[in-house]
Amino acid sequence: PGKRYILCLALISSVFDILRFLLQCVLQATNRIKKFARVMTSERVLFFLFLVITVLLGFRDYRCCIFSEILARFISMVYAMITCKETVFVRFPIKKEVYEESKELVGIGFKLLLATLASQLVIGIVRFMIEQRWGTIVFGKVSLTLSLSNMVITCIGAVSIVLFPVLKNMDKSRLDSLYETMRMVLTVPVLFVLLFYVPIKLVLSAWLPQYEDSFKYLAVLLPICIYETRSYALINPYFKAYRK
């Protein structure tokens, strides 16, 4: 029953997420990075504030966490709609040219959708199998490790948010030479993260001793983070810039 309840709320949340992500892409593509950052940040800050309020009021139920996140996502979606009002509040022109271009864009987007789903299923299927075979506690330990590695990827992947509009507006003859520079700038800091594995493991083990077993997996996941970072923050923006 708990899983069914969470899935229903996830479906509601996804409606707000899809609309917000679409508008975030519009802001990113039009190089309005500051407004893009405000939309992204507002959702996280609001969620944190709502979570603090629920804890201070004495609520300890997991449903309060979910409702706090859904409310934060809804408000950030409304803010994104107001920010992109010139795109949202406009009549859609029914013309053949628009239909043809939309068809082309959906064709490209569908391939990206399949690639993204495949990427998520690689880890997602493993998570489902762990939960079914060894239970929720083991699943929680593994999920914490995966969340930590995702946090590293997300932080470094934030570079691609700024990188894509720059690449898109740049002369294509200069993209090749810039690639080598960007590869060095992105790869070297991530390699240094590997050096901090031992101190990170010691700190987290002292802070969360019940999750100590799961931190062993970080030794395997951090090298994967390097490849993911190169793909997410460097290769993907170049594919977008070349429209491939």
Side-chain angles (χ1 to χ4, degrees):
K3 283 183 185 178
R4 192 177 295 114
Y5 181 80
I6 290 167
L7 280 171
C8 289
L9 290 176
L11 287 169
I12 295 168
S13 177
S14 67
V15 175
F16 307 140
D17 279 347
I18 290 165
L19 288 168
R20 181 167 54 88
F21 286 150
L22 174 64
L23 296 172
Q24 282 180 194
C25 288
V26 171
L27 291 171
Q28 186 186 0
T30 52
N31 208 11
R32 288 180 281 178
I33 302 300
K34 193 177 286 187
K35 290 180 179 179
F36 173 89
R38 283 176 188 162
V39 173
M40 279 191 71
T41 309
S42 65
E43 190 248 321
R44 293 291 90 195
V45 170
L46 286 168
F47 172 54
F48 176 73
L49 289 174
F50 292 150
L51 206 57
V52 170
I53 291 166
T54 55
V55 170
L56 291 175
L57 290 174
F59 296 106
R60 293 292 184 271
D61 192 61
Y62 71 90
R63 292 177 180 86
C64 296
C65 295
I66 298 172
F67 282 123
S68 296
E69 182 142 22
I70 290 174
L71 183 59
R73 290 180 177 188
F74 173 73
I75 294 170
S76 66
M77 181 202 70
V78 173
Y79 176 60
M81 290 174 74
I82 293 168
T83 305
C84 299
K85 58 180 181 290
E86 73 284 351
T87 305
V88 177
F89 304 107
V90 67
R91 286 188 65 185
F92 186 76
I94 303 172
K95 293 181 181 178
K96 186 180 178 181
E97 295 83 4
V98 175
Y99 172 75
E100 290 295 330
E101 188 177 355
S102 300
K103 187 179 175 182
E104 182 191 351
L105 293 172
V106 168
I108 296 166
F110 184 70
K111 292 168 189 171
L112 286 170
L113 172 65
L114 290 176
T116 306
L117 284 173
S119 172
Q120 291 178 347
L121 284 171
V122 168
I123 301 295
I125 289 171
V126 175
R127 284 181 167 181
F128 280 121
M129 288 172 66
I130 289 168
E131 187 189 13
Q132 293 296 322
R133 180 70 177 81
W134 291 297
T136 309
I137 294 171
V138 176
F139 169 75
K141 290 180 177 182
V142 175
S143 281
L144 177 67
T145 312
L146 291 169
S147 297
L148 287 169
S149 61
N150 284 336
M151 186 178 70
V152 175
I153 294 166
T154 303
C155 288
I156 299 169
V159 176
S160 67
I161 293 168
V162 183
L163 186 61
F164 168 62
V166 174
L167 294 175
K168 192 68 180 170
N169 295 320
M170 189 178 287
D171 184 14
K172 286 193 176 182
S173 61
R174 293 178 56 199
L175 290 177
D176 293 350
S177 58
L178 183 67
Y179 181 84
E180 293 181 7
T181 308
M182 289 305 303
R183 183 177 60 189
M184 187 66 68
V185 169
L186 287 170
T187 306
V188 172
V190 181
L191 286 170
F192 273 106
V193 172
L194 293 178
L195 298 175
F196 294 105
Y197 165 68
V198 174
I200 289 170
K201 182 176 178 290
L202 291 172
V203 170
L204 289 173
S205 297
W207 182 29
L208 300 167
Q210 66 270 37
Y211 286 97
E212 189 173 1
D213 292 341
S214 66
F215 298 133
K216 295 173 185 175
Y217 308 130
L218 273 175
V220 179
L221 285 171
L222 282 176
I224 294 172
C225 285
I226 294 174
Y227 301 118
E228 277 291 307
T229 301
R230 286 168 65 89
S231 174
Y232 186 64
L234 184 63
I235 297 168
N236 286 358
Y238 263 84
F239 274 133
K240 289 179 184 177
Y242 284 117
R243 202 170 174 77
K244 293 185 178 180

